[in-house]
Amino acid sequence: MPKVLIATVKPFAPIAVEQIKKIIENAGYQFALLEKYENQDALKQAVADADALIVRSDKITADVMQAAPKLKIVVRAGAGYDNIDLKTATEKGIVVMNTPGQNSNAVAELALGMMVYLARNRFNGKPGTELKGKSLGVHAYGHVGRRVAEIAKGFGMELFAFDPFIPKEEIEKDGVTVVDSAEELYTRSQYVSLHIPANEHTIKSINYTLLSKMPQNATLVNTARKEIIDEDDLLKMFEERPDFKYISDIAPDCKDVIAEKYPDRYFFTPKKMGAQTAEANINAGLAAARQIVNFFEKGDRTFQVNK
Ligand code: 3PG
């Protein structure tokens, strides 16, 4: 009987856990839960007899896999899998999957919500600005980017996108103008919303060269990963461009400098919380549980990311 462990520092909503448990137990598997653990040792202990793992941004390092001799599958309930050591997983024959699209609406709603919040001066009563008629560049048109574009359209924003991996026609049918380079995207967009993963090609790729191309009253919106931003360049933008603002659900390492020097030009949520809704937890968590059952029962490897 496979043992399936949910290991989440940032727990799912209780209703999601309940429903995941039901799927696992209905399949005749053993269910275990480790939430809000304080260090990697606690995680290593818990994985010792696990055959399958459901995680969020939890760090699944070589060490953790070493401590889990029975582990056959890790499902990241969410989109980004930069928290999992794919190379080691592949070497050990461990299948890694994500659950693409399952939490994208939550992230997209937060991106637009934060944009309104800062454009309205954090609701302090002073006159702000509207999103209607402003340009928005969607940097990568995956599940979240697409949903951001869809909601932004409702606000009456003018939409641009750059994504070299998606056919132009597919994006254009959403009424979004496709541009040919990241440079062009930043040049044409007063708002840029980031939806690229963090990997060796993208880390620190959002730099001064791109940001400095943004027109006046520029706002960068980051619900992706903090590692994709070149923070020295970010600070340079703040210093040189009094019109520049930055919004994120993952505070940068340099957040204290920004808070001290540019208090009105940023907003960061206290914790990464793009995907923190009951709906997103249910969608992603249940998808993860079903993928695990289908993997054990039918050998289904749809959504495997370490092929
Ligand atoms: C993702 O990659 O799916 C999002 O960043 C959400 O991450 P979380 O599950 O850790 O909140």
Side-chain angles (χ1 to χ4, degrees):
M1 183 208 289
K3 177 173 175 178
V4 182
L5 171 72
I6 296 183
T8 47
V9 166
K10 186 169 58 182
F12 290 119
I15 185 174
V17 175
E18 231 170 82
Q19 294 183 24
I20 294 169
K21 184 169 185 269
K22 223 175 256 173
I23 292 175
I24 301 302
E25 291 182 344
N26 284 348
Y29 303 169
Q30 195 188 339
F31 172 82
L33 182 63
L34 174 73
E35 290 181 329
K36 295 185 188 168
Y37 55 91
E38 295 194 342
N39 51 51
Q40 290 296 93
D41 282 341
L43 176 61
K44 282 197 259 178
Q45 257 177 35
V47 297
D49 58 350
D51 299 274
L53 260 184
I54 297 176
V55 298
R56 297 185 62 178
S57 303
D58 305 82
K59 298 217 173 332
I60 307 304
T61 58
D63 256 15
V64 173
M65 290 184 235
Q66 205 58 47
K70 294 172 70 188
L71 192 61
K72 292 158 199 77
I73 177 167
V74 178
V75 182
R76 192 283 190 243
Y81 41 86
D82 47 304
N83 51 318
I84 300 172
D85 181 341
L86 290 190
K87 189 169 168 279
T88 304
T90 307
E91 279 163 14
K92 289 184 163 298
I94 298 169
V95 169
V96 180
M97 296 183 186
N98 65 351
T99 64
Q102 299 291 348
N103 59 17
S104 49
N105 182 65
V107 180
E109 284 190 14
L110 186 74
L112 270 295
M114 292 193 298
M115 284 161 64
V116 172
Y117 184 59
L118 201 58
R120 293 297 187 94
N121 302 313
R122 303 191 178 107
F123 303 152
N124 70 0
K126 291 189 186 150
T129 54
E130 300 180 14
L131 299 185
K132 186 176 179 185
K134 309 297 189 302
S135 50
L136 169 65
V138 180
H139 194 163
Y141 206 74
H143 293 279
V144 185
R146 183 179 302 256
R147 185 69 188 126
V148 162
E150 199 176 4
I151 301 172
K153 223 168 152 192
F155 276 94
M157 298 189 83
E158 186 190 5
L159 289 157
F160 298 95
F162 174 64
D163 193 326
F165 302 104
I166 297 184
K168 205 172 173 171
E169 313 74 60
E170 212 178 288
I171 304 176
E172 280 173 344
K173 70 176 168 11
D174 293 344
V176 175
T177 303
V178 178
V179 297
D180 293 327
S181 66
E183 283 75 12
E184 190 184 347
L185 187 77
Y186 286 68
T187 304
R188 296 179 76 169
S189 309
Q190 182 182 335
Y191 284 86
V192 169
S193 189
L194 297 169
H195 304 292
I196 56 176
N199 59 39
E200 76 266 31
H201 306 293
T202 62
I203 286 173
K204 291 195 179 196
S205 65
I206 308 306
N207 54 23
Y208 185 78
T209 310
L210 286 178
L211 295 174
S212 60
K213 297 211 163 32
M214 291 179 79
Q216 276 300 299
N217 299 318
T219 300
L220 180 68
V221 186
N222 183 7
T223 51
R225 292 288 181 273
K226 80 173 177 191
E227 292 79 5
I228 61 178
I229 308 283
D230 183 321
E231 293 199 10
D232 290 337
D233 287 10
L234 181 72
L235 287 175
K236 191 171 168 191
M237 270 300 284
F238 266 105
E239 201 174 312
E240 287 186 6
R241 290 269 304 266
D243 64 292
F244 175 76
K245 293 180 180 167
Y246 182 48
I247 296 169
S248 182
D249 75 335
I250 343 107
D253 294 336
C254 62
K255 70 168 190 283
D256 292 343
V257 181
I258 296 174
E260 195 196 319
K261 290 187 162 175
Y262 318 107
D264 301 329
R265 293 164 49 199
Y266 78 94
F267 175 69
F268 306 134
T269 57
K271 270 191 182 173
K272 179 146 180 67
M273 56 165 287
Q276 277 297 61
T277 65
E279 292 91 336
N281 288 177
I282 290 169
N283 292 342
L286 269 60
R290 290 193 188 105
Q291 286 171 214
I292 287 172
V293 173
N294 286 339
F295 171 74
F296 283 123
E297 300 302 319
K298 304 180 199 154
D300 186 348
R301 289 174 178 234
T302 314
F303 305 119
Q304 182 172 357
V305 294
N306 62 333
K307 285 183 241 191

